[in-house]
Amino acid sequence: MNLSAIRKLVQIAAFGFMVYGSGLIGYYTVDKFSNALPALSCAFNHNTGDYCTLIPFQHQMAHRVGETIANEGNLLQGLIPTLITLGTFLILFVILSKAFCGWICPLGTFQELLSMIGQKLGLQQRKSVDEKVVKRIRPVKWLVLFFLVFFLPILTGLGYASHDLVDPYCKICPSRILTTLANGNTDQLVVDQANPVTMGFSIFGDFLFGLMIALALTVRQPFCRICPMLAMNATFRKLGLLKLTKNASSRCEKCGLCAKACPMDIREIHTEMVKKDVTFEDCTLCGRCVEFCPDKNVLQLKYATIPIFSASSDYFKKRKKAQKAWEKVTLASLKQPTVQPEAKS
Amino acid sequence: MKTIQQASMYSLSIMLLCGFLGAVAITPDAIANTAPRMKLTKPSATGGGHQLHGGQQHGKQGAQPQPRRRGAGKQLLLENGEGATVEFWAPDLGFQEIKVEGGRFSIPKPAVDNYHAVVAERQQGDLKQAAVRYEYMRGKPSSESPSRLAAAQKTEFEIEPAPIPREHSRYMANKKWDFILRFKGKPLSGVPVVLETSQGSHIEAVSGDAGLVQFIIPDDFPEVKLGRRNNPPAELSLFAKYKAESTRYETTLSAAYYVDPGHWRSKGLGVAVAGLGLLAGGFIGGIGRSNKRGKKQ
């Protein structure tokens, strides 16, 4: 079994826990696994096993930080809940690092599933997004994190913005719609006409959800590229025990298979020749680059400096063969009639 | 003389009409329960105004929002509960008695946050009455699950919310909610349960297997405005009675419930906008191009 197959199994199990896990651990917030998960596990889904850390951050910015500043209270006291959430987030993040994106996040899993469906339907897959487009898109996740997770909620707490902007990111997050729909609940796929703010955000959220679905059929991980959780995880990526490392060889310059394999189109994995730690800001630690690296030990996934998965030519050959076989099977190929020798005669 | 006759006729008609209306107004259930029901409500809910979480007043023209109050300060009213003892249960199942004067009382400052239960009990002859209400309180974080508090036997005959609306969630009209009827901690099936709202709705159901009873909270708000914060909550209460040996038991569970947000949220439009997103994504992703190529081939 290759690394991608193992990852798929982990993703399926994680999806089950994040979307339906309340049956295992409990219904109430206090029952949840951490309430500060570094993955988009949505609290609007009442059957979730855990909450994404962006939810408490937004509420704490509004109700604790913003209100404390507005009331001229003790800011340190107002920051304590945020620090507790950050501490919990960091404990989890240190253990699995950015693998929360590539292995745990239910929205990431859903986009990969859509990509598989697109490929099986025979839709033309974009092997990689244009470099200029990738570079233009990269800052968006930081803007989303800054404005929607921190800035607007603080403005709400200060009284300068509508109370409906306590959790502005949640209002547009596709995971909110996906995880509730996965439980048969259609309450989140709505246009909220209560006021212009809710209407605008709900329209944008619904549109983004549809856009993400259609794009994911042909483009790898479209939403992950602008996800604020990716930015959040990128901020602390040096603290994670799991890292992607590179021992560049002279063959690297001509190869570039790692960059082609990367679902986030991180070309720097290929071009970086000096740095050992190549866990770049967009990396989700999925390990595909290591799988498709043909040179021994050039790329490695290391856990606390111990290599846990390394590139090798034997693995590369097997993996490439498996990939070709997988890509060959499409709906169109299944429909093609097999030519019988009798028919020829 | 003629005037006196007319007056007598009018009086008789009015008396007959009142009698008829009275008969209509009294439901069979009400006839069966002559004793007034003891229940715990929010004072404002019965006093004309309504109160939202955090002590914000709504429903009055020109009313200014009150500052958010944390911890203590929630006022409750014990209706028809003269002589009852009232206990305040914490999430760790510790409890303390609350002094009630004239039915109105304040919930004491809690040590921790999350759901707490207010339990009123009274015995009058062979009748034992209980009223329960769950209130979300602010405070230091509690590590106890509200499921423990809900499942704990707080009084002999009890309606357990299964579950209590999750933290920051609430009872909503048009949604189905489950409750479990318990007697001395064990589920009780085959017993009628009545749901009544402060807006005048009345629904009856019978507890089934494992004491489970389900209600869709009626969407009975007479006037609905756009947005949840513009619609004050109303009160609902569930009532059941049971006789065991020579004792009659009555229990009430009360809570606030809110307008169905479906009044200002359109699912049809939501699907339509997501459809537009799909089209845009298909265009950007080049699905159309790909299909055209496929057709040519």
Side-chain angles (χ1 to χ4, degrees):
Chain A
M1 191 183 278
N2 61 47
L3 186 73
S4 286
I6 294 168
R7 194 169 66 90
K8 290 281 175 293
L9 292 177
V10 173
Q11 282 181 302
I12 291 164
F15 189 92
F17 180 72
M18 299 307 162
V19 180
Y20 307 104
S22 71
L24 279 176
I25 61 159
Y27 171 75
Y28 299 98
T29 301
V30 72
D31 298 326
K32 302 303 174 196
F33 181 69
S34 72
N35 292 318
L37 197 78
L40 298 180
S41 182
C42 187
F44 283 79
N45 164 26
H46 284 199
N47 293 326
T48 186
D50 204 0
Y51 295 172
C52 138
T53 195
L54 302 180
I55 297 163
F57 273 139
Q58 289 171 88
H59 282 265
Q60 285 155 4
M61 288 304 113
H63 296 310
R64 298 300 170 98
V65 179
E67 284 183 11
T68 303
I69 296 168
N71 298 328
E72 295 176 357
N74 185 339
L75 187 59
L76 187 65
Q77 212 170 348
L79 276 169
I80 285 172
T82 310
L83 294 174
I84 291 169
T85 303
L86 184 65
T88 314
F89 165 84
L90 286 177
I91 289 169
L92 293 169
F93 186 77
V94 166
I95 296 166
L96 273 185
S97 187
K98 299 186 84 189
F100 274 105
C101 293
W103 293 65
I104 306 291
C105 180
L107 195 64
T109 305
F110 179 64
Q111 288 173 91
E112 285 191 40
L113 174 74
L114 288 171
S115 180
M116 271 194 258
I117 292 170
Q119 192 266 323
K120 295 300 162 209
L121 288 174
L123 299 172
Q124 188 190 9
Q125 300 291 299
R126 288 197 178 190
K127 291 292 177 194
S128 56
V129 178
D130 185 70
E131 194 174 354
K132 281 180 189 169
V133 177
V134 172
K135 281 190 175 168
R136 256 182 237 154
I137 289 172
R138 274 183 187 166
V140 176
K141 63 181 177 294
W142 295 102
L143 293 174
V144 175
L145 179 70
F146 177 73
F147 280 105
L148 297 188
V149 178
F150 293 103
F151 186 66
L152 281 180
I154 286 180
L155 277 191
T156 304
L158 290 170
Y160 293 124
S162 156
H163 186 79
D164 293 301
L165 293 174
V166 165
D167 54 357
Y169 173 67
C170 294
K171 287 191 162 54
I172 63 155
C173 181
S175 188
R176 178 180 54 90
I177 301 174
L178 167 72
T179 56
T180 48
L181 282 179
N183 277 281
N185 179 357
T186 55
D187 288 351
Q188 300 302 322
L189 186 59
V190 292
V191 171
D192 190 329
Q193 297 159 82
N195 59 55
V197 172
T198 59
M199 188 186 268
F201 272 82
S202 58
I203 286 174
F204 187 76
D206 296 340
F207 185 83
L208 190 63
F209 182 66
L211 188 76
M212 180 202 73
I213 289 175
L215 281 177
L217 290 168
T218 56
V219 181
R220 292 180 295 181
Q221 309 303 101
F223 183 77
C224 297
R225 294 162 196 265
I226 60 162
C227 179
M229 189 64 86
L230 186 71
M232 188 81 192
N233 290 349
T235 309
F236 300 102
R237 68 184 187 274
K238 299 283 178 199
L239 301 176
L241 290 173
L242 187 62
K243 282 183 168 63
L244 176 68
T245 62
K246 184 177 177 181
N247 297 305
S249 80
S250 54
R251 282 158 52 87
C252 286
E253 284 176 28
K254 291 175 186 173
C255 177
L257 284 175
C258 53
K260 281 179 188 164
C262 177
M264 299 294 284
D265 297 305
I266 307 168
R267 288 173 177 84
E268 291 88 335
I269 305 171
H270 167 218
T271 55
E272 180 59 57
M273 293 294 168
V274 181
K275 277 184 192 170
K276 294 274 180 201
D277 183 357
V278 286
T279 318
F280 291 106
E281 66 172 56
D282 277 6
C283 180
T284 63
L285 288 176
C286 67
R288 270 178 68 89
C289 54
V290 188
E291 286 189 287
F292 286 91
C293 175
D295 287 346
K296 197 178 177 189
N297 295 342
V298 165
L299 283 171
Q300 289 181 314
L301 281 176
K302 282 185 179 175
Y303 196 82
T305 71
I306 302 159
I308 52 168
F309 182 66
S310 304
S312 80
S313 58
D314 284 348
Y315 182 92
F316 167 73
K317 283 172 195 165
K318 284 180 195 165
R319 183 68 184 88
K320 201 178 167 188
K321 201 176 164 187
Q323 186 68 23
K324 272 191 176 173
W326 167 256
E327 284 177 4
K328 234 180 190 177
V329 183
T330 63
L331 201 64
S333 72
L334 291 173
K335 275 183 180 175
Q336 277 175 359
T338 33
V339 184
Q340 299 291 329
E342 293 81 21
K344 276 183 182 175
S345 61
Chain B
M1 189 69 181
K2 199 177 176 181
T3 330
I4 294 168
Q5 272 181 342
Q6 276 177 340
S8 309
M9 286 291 282
Y10 287 140
S11 306
L12 189 63
S13 307
I14 288 164
M15 281 168 71
L16 283 170
L17 187 64
C18 287
F20 174 72
L21 287 176
V24 169
I26 298 166
T27 62
D29 181 69
I31 292 165
N33 297 291
T34 45
R37 287 174 194 171
M38 183 170 76
K39 63 181 176 183
L40 291 155
T41 60
K42 287 262 175 94
S44 49
T46 50
H50 295 283
Q51 206 166 32
L52 286 177
H53 291 297
Q56 286 176 296
Q57 290 285 340
H58 289 273
K60 287 176 186 174
Q61 287 293 321
Q64 292 297 312
Q66 299 297 305
R68 182 184 289 268
R69 285 183 295 188
R70 298 190 189 280
K74 278 190 179 176
Q75 295 270 319
L76 288 182
L77 184 70
L78 177 63
E79 288 182 27
N80 308 312
E82 294 79 17
T85 56
V86 179
E87 286 168 350
F88 181 55
W89 285 61
D92 64 356
L93 308 186
F95 58 87
Q96 58 178 300
E97 201 168 307
I98 303 175
K99 230 179 182 181
V100 179
E101 283 172 10
R104 192 181 278 253
F105 61 96
S106 288
I107 299 176
K109 187 178 181 182
V112 290
D113 72 354
N114 223 314
Y115 277 107
H116 289 61
V118 181
V119 182
E121 286 180 302
R122 178 173 70 174
Q123 181 158 13
Q124 290 181 324
D126 66 341
L127 177 66
K128 277 189 173 179
Q129 289 175 299
V132 180
R133 186 181 181 97
Y134 295 89
E135 284 292 331
Y136 190 89
M137 306 296 288
R138 291 169 187 277
K140 288 178 185 170
S142 155
S143 57
E144 296 290 347
S145 173
S147 55
R148 192 176 169 210
L149 180 69
Q153 186 189 324
K154 297 173 285 293
T155 178
E156 285 170 289
F157 186 40
E158 189 172 352
I159 301 168
E160 175 195 338
I164 309 171
R166 206 174 59 171
E167 300 93 326
H168 306 297
S169 183
R170 49 189 62 80
Y171 285 114
M172 293 275 187
N174 274 337
K175 293 276 178 201
K176 189 160 76 179
W177 292 90
D178 293 354
F179 302 89
I180 294 169
L181 198 61
R182 289 195 321 241
F183 181 65
K184 294 188 175 171
K186 289 181 180 167
L188 196 63
S189 54
V191 175
V193 181
V194 177
L195 183 149
E196 287 178 341
T197 70
S198 57
Q199 324 263 30
S201 295
H202 178 103
I203 307 169
E204 288 189 32
V206 177
S207 63
D209 291 342
L212 183 72
V213 61
Q214 294 181 318
F215 286 102
I216 294 174
I217 298 177
D219 187 18
D220 56 3
F221 287 81
E223 189 191 349
V224 177
K225 292 174 186 166
L226 292 179
R228 183 178 64 81
R229 279 187 296 280
N230 298 322
N231 292 284
E235 283 284 311
L236 65 83
S237 64
L238 278 82
F239 173 80
K241 55 182 185 164
Y242 182 62
K243 192 171 182 183
E245 296 172 355
S246 56
T247 308
R248 292 181 296 131
Y249 293 89
E250 287 183 1
T251 189
T252 311
L253 171 73
S254 53
Y257 73 104
Y258 293 78
V259 177
D260 174 14
H263 285 287
W264 56 85
R265 288 180 182 170
S266 167
K267 288 182 183 176
L269 279 176
V271 172
V273 173
L276 284 175
L278 273 170
L279 286 174
F283 178 72
I284 297 166
I287 292 172
R289 271 205 318 273
S290 162
N291 286 344
K292 275 177 192 173
R293 270 186 211 170
K295 277 176 190 173
K296 277 179 189 174
Q297 280 168 5

